[in-house]
Amino acid sequence: EDKVVQSPLSLVVHEGDTVTLNCSYEVTNFRSLLWYKQEKKAPTFLFMLTSSGIEKKSGRLSSILDKKELFSILNITATQTGDSAVYLCAVTGGGADGLTFGKGTHLIIQP
Amino acid sequence: GAGVSQSPSNKVTEKGKDVELRCDPISGHTALYWYRQRLGQGLEFLIYFQGNSAPDKSGLPSDRFSAERTGESVSTLTIQRTQQEDSAVYLCASSLSGGRGAGQPQHFGDGTRLSIL
């Protein structure tokens, strides 16, 4: 059975801190790993990773994939209160055509 | 341009009634997906449409759930004889192309929050 496990499930830090969110996966015929940010409603797309060891970066956010060890990390530097959200990790390539999601990491940034 | 649009945004109904949820994908996106997000749980894949191909229905939890899509346009998800465990947020997503090998990210709508009394 395809599985995505995210850790920690929740995290509270202060503004300005750096955070690292983890995602490990088990999926048949892995194709890609995606990160989304979910605030109140629609998950918004952050990154898609397909190749091992290549960092994707957007502003203060970055992510890297390790296909040998079957995990990915999402880093956020100099956190701001607007970064507070649930961060979702998902993979493609499993037994169905849809994404297989983890339960998410609930990140709270305190001022 | 416009994103994925879903309606209604909220729906409250009595147990045993049928409900119909609507999704309007991003123009030009051939792939459309439905997911369910129950409280405290991750998103669960329900069904996938790609153009005029047969849909992947492998995620539908029971035969009370069905969905339709005509071509590359609007999709409707129907839940018959609703049960309390159907209470969830139902999210729709679309992408330029889809399936297990595709490299296109999915873009989500705001969802329909369904509450069964």
Side-chain angles (χ1 to χ4, degrees):
Chain A
E1 184 185 332
D2 302 324
K3 192 163 63 173
V4 176
V5 177
Q6 292 187 246
S7 64
L9 289 181
S10 65
L11 184 60
V12 181
V13 300
H14 287 102
E15 212 169 11
D17 288 351
T18 292
V19 297
T20 298
L21 310 183
N22 303 293
C23 176
S24 64
Y25 61 89
E26 292 176 28
V27 62
T28 53
N29 300 317
F30 171 86
R31 298 293 183 189
S32 60
L33 184 145
L34 296 91
W35 286 97
Y36 287 85
K37 178 182 181 182
Q38 186 175 27
E39 295 174 89
K40 297 220 160 69
K41 294 189 175 179
T44 52
F45 171 72
L46 295 175
F47 298 112
M48 184 168 70
L49 303 118
T50 56
S51 300
S52 208
I54 298 176
E55 185 182 53
K56 292 264 179 119
K57 199 169 168 64
S58 176
R60 296 175 295 101
L61 277 68
S62 63
S63 183
I64 197 159
L65 174 67
D66 185 330
K67 287 168 76 172
K68 184 178 173 190
E69 300 299 328
L70 309 182
F71 79 91
S72 173
I73 59 172
L74 176 68
N75 277 321
I76 309 175
T77 59
T79 52
Q80 302 171 357
T81 54
D83 295 327
S84 295
V86 176
Y87 288 84
L88 300 169
C89 175
V91 296
T92 63
D97 285 304
L99 292 167
T100 300
F101 279 88
K103 291 189 176 180
T105 292
H106 187 189
L107 177 64
I108 297 172
I109 312 297
Q110 292 182 335
Chain B
V4 176
S5 177
Q6 292 189 244
S7 62
S9 53
N10 285 284
K11 176 76 178 176
V12 181
T13 193
E14 292 179 349
K15 177 181 166 181
K17 302 280 189 189
D18 296 353
V19 295
E20 192 171 276
L21 313 179
R22 177 187 167 108
C23 173
D24 205 337
I26 294 170
S27 178
H29 282 195
T30 62
L32 185 147
Y33 305 77
W34 283 97
Y35 294 86
R36 176 172 72 175
Q37 187 173 31
R38 289 190 278 195
L39 194 63
Q41 302 296 314
L43 278 75
E44 302 169 76
F45 165 72
L46 297 177
I47 189 167
Y48 157 68
F49 295 93
Q50 173 66 53
N52 292 316
S53 302
D56 175 358
K57 303 180 184 179
S58 60
L60 294 178
S62 78
D63 58 9
R64 296 186 296 104
F65 287 72
S66 62
E68 291 184 350
R69 186 187 188 197
T70 305
E72 296 178 3
S73 62
V74 170
S75 174
T76 54
L77 176 70
T78 301
I79 309 173
Q80 295 178 306
R81 306 181 302 281
T82 51
Q83 304 293 315
Q84 286 186 331
E85 65 260 27
D86 299 335
S87 295
V89 176
Y90 289 83
L91 289 157
C92 176
S94 70
S95 64
L96 280 171
S97 57
R100 299 168 208 196
Q104 300 297 329
Q106 296 174 28
H107 298 274
F108 285 81
D110 282 343
T112 293
R113 181 173 297 278
L114 177 64
S115 300
I116 309 300
L117 302 178

